[in-house]
Amino acid sequence: MAQVSLTFPDGNARSYDAGVTPAQVAADISTSLAKKAISATVDGKHWDLQWPIHADAAIALHTMKDEEQANELIRHDLAHIMARAVQEIWPATKVTIGPVIDNGWYYDFDRAEPFTPEDLGTIEKKMKEIINKRDPVTTEVWDRQRAVEFYTANNEPYKVELIDAIPGDEPLRMYWHGHWQDLCRGPHLQHTGQVQGDCFKLMSIAGAYWRGDSNRAMLQRIYGVAFTSKDKLKAHLHMLDEAAKRDHRKLGREMDLFHMQEEAPGQIFWHPNGWSIYVQLQDYMRRQQRKGGYVEVNTPQVVDRKLWEASGHWDKYQENMFIVEVDEEHAREKAVNALKPMNCPCHVEIFKQGLKSYRDLPLRMAEFGSCNRYEPSGALHGIMRVRGFTQDDAHIFSTEEQIEGETAEFIRFLSKIYKDLGFENFSVKFSDRPDTRAGSDEVWDKAEQALLSATRAAGIEPELNPGEGAFYGPKLEFVLTDAIGRDWQCGTFQVDFVLPERLDATYIGSDGSKHRPVMLHRATLGSFERFIGILIEEHAGKLPFWLAPRQVVVASITSEADDYVHEVVAELKAAGVRAEADIRNEKINYKVREHSVGKVPVILAVGHREVEERTVSIRRLGEKQTRVDSLVNVTEALGREATPPDLL
């Protein structure tokens, strides 16, 4: 019989009969591994223990200790177990698809009656019964005709449509969890009992159009989460609870920061409090950029399609652009323009004005550029995902020799800003060429090597993020981790040899000849809108004092203190503190509660005693205790605290 050679992670190889399964390989190694194994990786592909191996390959066997593979299997099996449970409870329900997603899975159902939140508990109970049965999981490969006949006979039209949509004539894999069967690529666990009954939870119900088409049937989607242990599930649910408390949309209402409305989807109505945060952050960034040697520019919002065609955006990015057609006077045809989705081409046009020398490089050009990009309405999310936004954008025009130094300098620049804003640590991802891109492979080779070498020279070994570069060049992505463990991609740094070539940007080198500059695209915060949302959630609304829109409220305990309240407010404003008076005829506890909900960092209460002694009673947000201090001391201390970190 033909043999195959399987090479293990330690480099050792063993020979087996062709068609051997990973389950048989595990049993050959040891009885204990045969019991613990859940799947394998064969030549880089996640492999079911039941699948045969017909050729020489590299193999690694996995157990529940291998978190990535274990989570994928647990979540995938739970999708099937949930679908089986639903059909056992409501047999008339039709099934569609149930993929694994971040932290869990979902499954879409076609059912006449809507699911209710109470139904989730019923389904969970049935799922645990199925798990406790330890039903075997088996798999077979069927030809298409057999599969179509099976699903037609069982009145599962969505499965028939899925089969019709699968290209080619290759056989189809089927899986059974006990008696329940589904069309599925796999892999899966070996029996239902390998899923722990206390490591999952059904979370919510939502509507979803079949195949994402609003003209098709509206299905019911059930979401679930699952992990390898009860403790990890508990930690995730705690994180979700914290995230709900920190939701910037909820806090935005409570703090009166902004609102969104149907007449302007994906656009933000900033209220005075929210705009105060925006202005403080932008002023801080402007000061940092000046210190960093940037010149600030401003470019048009509406730009003719000719520039977007020349830059490559019209071909590669048009689906994300807002197109504006204008009937120009006396023109034979409409002028076609676009709201700019990014600032890059306009910055090249500024660079091209006048003759540039190698002595002018690096030229660091920054803009707080207002951009507009089309996002599907279903993808919009508060101020985190919008259609209209402002980038803290900059482009550095440099020579190839300056790439390494500019990369290192930007990482230092970004690190200080993140630290000032309360983020001590961040990770870096390196994203290389996407499938849709401009420029030759030779140019991409050059750009990727330059950026990767420069990043390593700066002392950072980035995580590889294949295929996620911009269409014009590779990029670094700077990822923050917030207080509850969520990752946010904010800053970017990209090397671009393509755009200067397409738009014919040149400088005069030391040899007197024309040369192409390298264009380094960079953003530190990303967009102001999204970063403010991140700040709100990171701090649960309790923003650093210098950023807080309402820093101090001076509240009267008695009406006789009203004049002193105004005097205190005036002293604080003179010291640079954003202070306001509350002399309403309300009890002090009511005022404290109201301003605490609004996340005012400091409340100063004044009554008869404070007026006579020229003191104030200080209560800080989140603290139950108050203390009394002189107006002079408090004004001086709060003035220092209100000063942005770069001005101290």
Side-chain angles (χ1 to χ4, degrees):
M1 186 174 184
Q3 296 282 294
V4 294
S5 177
L6 301 182
T7 304
F8 295 87
D10 62 2
N12 289 324
R14 295 191 184 192
S15 293
Y16 294 94
D17 291 339
V20 68
T21 65
Q24 292 168 329
V25 173
D28 179 59
I29 294 172
S30 73
T31 303
S32 63
L33 182 59
K35 293 179 180 178
K36 293 178 181 177
I38 57 171
S39 66
T41 294
V42 177
D43 280 348
K45 181 181 178 182
H46 200 191
W47 205 266
D48 195 296
L49 289 181
Q50 302 178 56
W51 295 352
I53 303 170
H54 294 289
D56 295 350
I59 186 171
L61 294 164
H62 303 299
T63 69
M64 284 295 182
K65 291 182 179 180
D66 296 307
E67 198 81 8
E68 179 182 349
Q69 292 79 12
N71 275 326
E72 180 188 339
L73 293 171
I74 289 168
R75 292 161 184 168
H76 201 171
D77 278 66
L78 280 165
H80 284 217
I81 291 169
M82 181 178 77
R84 172 180 162 180
V86 167
Q87 288 198 312
E88 288 187 2
I89 301 168
W90 299 284
T93 304
K94 293 178 176 59
V95 292
T96 63
I97 57 172
V100 172
I101 57 175
D102 287 347
N103 301 313
W105 78 92
Y106 69 78
Y107 211 110
D108 289 346
F109 299 97
D110 185 354
R111 179 174 177 245
E113 295 297 320
F115 290 113
T116 67
E118 292 72 27
D119 289 336
L120 297 184
T122 303
I123 298 168
E124 279 191 6
K125 182 179 178 182
K126 176 62 73 173
M127 290 172 69
K128 290 176 182 178
E129 290 175 8
I130 295 169
I131 289 168
N132 290 335
K133 288 180 178 179
R134 300 173 66 85
D135 283 342
V137 177
T138 56
T139 182
E140 291 180 6
V141 175
W142 285 5
D143 62 51
R144 285 172 179 252
Q145 182 177 348
R146 183 183 178 189
V148 169
E149 289 174 353
F150 174 85
Y151 284 120
T152 301
N154 283 276
N155 193 25
E156 292 287 5
Y158 297 100
K159 295 297 182 183
V160 174
E161 185 175 336
L162 286 173
I163 293 170
D164 290 341
I166 298 173
D169 297 319
E170 70 274 10
L172 305 173
R173 184 168 290 281
M174 303 292 174
Y175 270 91
W176 284 260
H177 282 66
H179 65 83
W180 189 86
Q181 184 270 353
D182 202 0
L183 169 71
C184 183
R185 286 193 299 263
H188 280 282
L189 294 167
Q190 302 307 293
H191 62 80
T192 60
Q194 285 181 289
V195 176
Q196 295 183 42
D198 59 359
C199 74
F200 75 92
K201 182 174 178 60
L202 302 187
M203 300 298 294
S204 61
I205 306 160
Y209 289 112
W210 172 234
R211 309 300 288 272
D213 185 346
S214 59
N215 295 315
R216 304 295 302 275
M218 172 62 79
L219 306 174
Q220 297 186 69
R221 177 173 296 177
I222 298 179
Y223 287 95
V225 295
F227 297 87
T228 55
S229 71
K230 181 180 179 180
D231 287 344
K232 288 173 182 172
L233 172 64
K234 184 178 179 181
H236 178 74
L237 296 177
H238 175 71
M239 184 275 288
L240 292 179
D241 184 53
E242 279 296 309
K245 294 176 184 175
R246 295 165 181 262
D247 191 319
H248 73 280
R249 296 166 297 180
K250 168 180 172 289
L251 292 171
R253 290 190 298 271
E254 293 175 355
M255 298 171 69
D256 192 21
L257 303 180
F258 59 84
H259 82 274
M260 323 282 284
Q261 63 187 60
E262 291 181 1
E263 290 79 1
Q267 309 281 335
I268 304 168
F269 291 79
W270 288 104
H271 298 190
N273 290 339
W275 193 243
S276 172
I277 301 171
Y278 194 109
V279 170
Q280 291 297 319
L281 189 59
Q282 190 174 85
D283 287 348
Y284 166 81
M285 287 302 302
R286 180 171 280 117
R287 291 192 299 270
Q288 294 305 304
Q289 289 180 167
R290 286 174 180 165
K291 291 177 184 177
Y294 290 83
V295 293
E296 186 174 335
V297 300
N298 190 265
T299 58
Q301 299 294 303
V302 181
V303 180
D304 192 285
R305 68 177 287 177
K306 294 175 183 176
L307 181 59
W308 303 116
E309 288 173 340
S311 70
H313 289 85
W314 195 260
D315 181 40
K316 308 292 185 183
Y317 204 75
Q318 186 181 155
E319 65 182 17
N320 301 108
M321 299 169 72
F322 286 99
I323 310 302
V324 181
E325 293 187 352
V326 180
D327 284 316
E328 298 281 6
E329 188 176 0
H330 305 304
R332 293 183 178 179
E333 57 185 26
K334 291 182 178 181
V336 180
N337 305 303
L339 297 178
K340 67 176 179 182
M342 53 194 67
N343 305 300
C344 334
C346 294
H347 287 191
V348 177
E349 294 305 303
I350 292 178
F351 179 86
K352 287 165 57 180
Q353 299 300 303
L355 200 61
K356 298 295 188 297
S357 162
Y358 70 95
R359 294 188 180 91
D360 298 319
L361 306 184
L363 174 58
R364 302 177 185 131
M365 188 183 298
E367 177 177 7
F368 297 125
S370 295
C371 299
N372 292 272
R373 297 178 187 172
Y374 174 73
E375 295 279 0
S377 58
L380 300 176
H381 179 70
I383 65 174
M384 298 280 210
R385 190 81 177 264
V386 292
R387 292 175 176 171
F389 57 93
T390 300
Q391 293 179 307
D392 67 316
D393 198 15
H395 297 92
I396 303 167
F397 297 89
S398 74
T399 66
E400 289 184 36
E401 294 74 22
Q402 292 168 334
I403 293 175
E404 183 174 312
E406 288 301 303
T407 302
E409 178 58 35
F410 176 66
I411 291 173
R412 286 193 291 270
F413 176 85
L414 172 141
S415 299
K416 181 184 184 304
I417 289 171
Y418 284 180
K419 185 175 182 180
D420 281 352
L421 296 173
F423 297 96
E424 295 283 344
N425 301 306
F426 59 85
S427 60
V428 181
K429 294 182 178 180
F430 174 78
S431 301
D432 61 11
R433 67 195 74 184
D435 292 335
T436 302
R437 59 182 181 271
S440 67
D441 286 342
E442 290 76 16
V443 168
W444 274 87
D445 290 341
K446 186 178 180 181
E448 287 171 352
Q449 184 57 45
L451 183 57
L452 195 55
S453 297
T455 306
R456 287 169 174 160
I460 291 176
E461 183 59 41
E463 175 188 342
L464 296 182
N465 194 23
E468 293 300 319
F471 78 84
Y472 48 77
K475 65 179 177 180
L476 299 179
E477 297 180 350
F478 297 86
V479 181
L480 301 174
T481 301
D482 70 12
I484 58 175
R486 297 173 301 180
D487 288 339
W488 302 99
Q489 186 263 305
C490 295
T492 57
F493 188 86
Q494 304 165 30
V495 174
D496 183 2
F497 289 90
V498 174
L499 202 56
E501 178 76 29
R502 293 185 70 106
L503 298 182
D504 195 26
T506 61
Y507 68 92
I508 304 301
S510 58
D511 59 358
S513 301
K514 286 186 176 181
H515 297 268
R516 296 282 183 214
V518 180
M519 191 174 182
L520 306 175
H521 305 245
R522 76 104 186 107
T524 307
L525 305 181
S527 78
F528 281 93
E529 291 75 9
R530 183 168 179 270
F531 199 86
I532 289 171
I534 292 170
L535 280 172
I536 292 168
E537 296 199 2
E538 160 72 8
H539 297 287
K542 302 173 185 177
L543 294 168
F545 191 79
W546 68 276
L547 270 178
R550 303 169 64 212
Q551 293 173 325
V552 178
V553 168
V554 185
S556 59
I557 298 173
T558 174
S559 60
E560 283 83 356
D562 288 356
D563 290 342
Y564 184 56
V565 166
H566 290 300
E567 182 182 347
V568 172
V569 168
E571 291 282 343
L572 290 169
K573 286 183 175 179
V577 179
R578 290 185 287 280
E580 59 191 75
D582 185 350
I583 56 172
R584 293 175 299 165
N585 185 25
E586 301 284 356
K587 293 183 178 180
I588 189 63
N589 287 341
Y590 176 87
K591 295 179 182 181
V592 169
R593 281 195 301 272
E594 182 180 277
H595 297 309
S596 295
V597 169
K599 299 296 185 287
V600 177
V602 175
I603 300 172
L604 303 180
V606 296
H608 287 297
R609 180 179 174 183
E610 286 78 14
V611 172
E612 292 174 358
E613 299 177 354
R614 296 193 62 76
T615 59
V616 291
S617 179
I618 309 161
R619 180 189 290 268
R620 287 190 175 268
L621 183 63
E623 295 181 1
K624 294 182 179 180
Q625 301 299 319
T626 61
R627 65 180 182 86
V628 176
D629 202 348
S630 70
L631 176 58
V632 172
N633 289 345
V634 170
T635 301
E636 182 180 349
L638 292 179
R640 284 195 305 270
E641 200 172 340
T643 304
D646 62 311
L647 298 180
L648 288 172

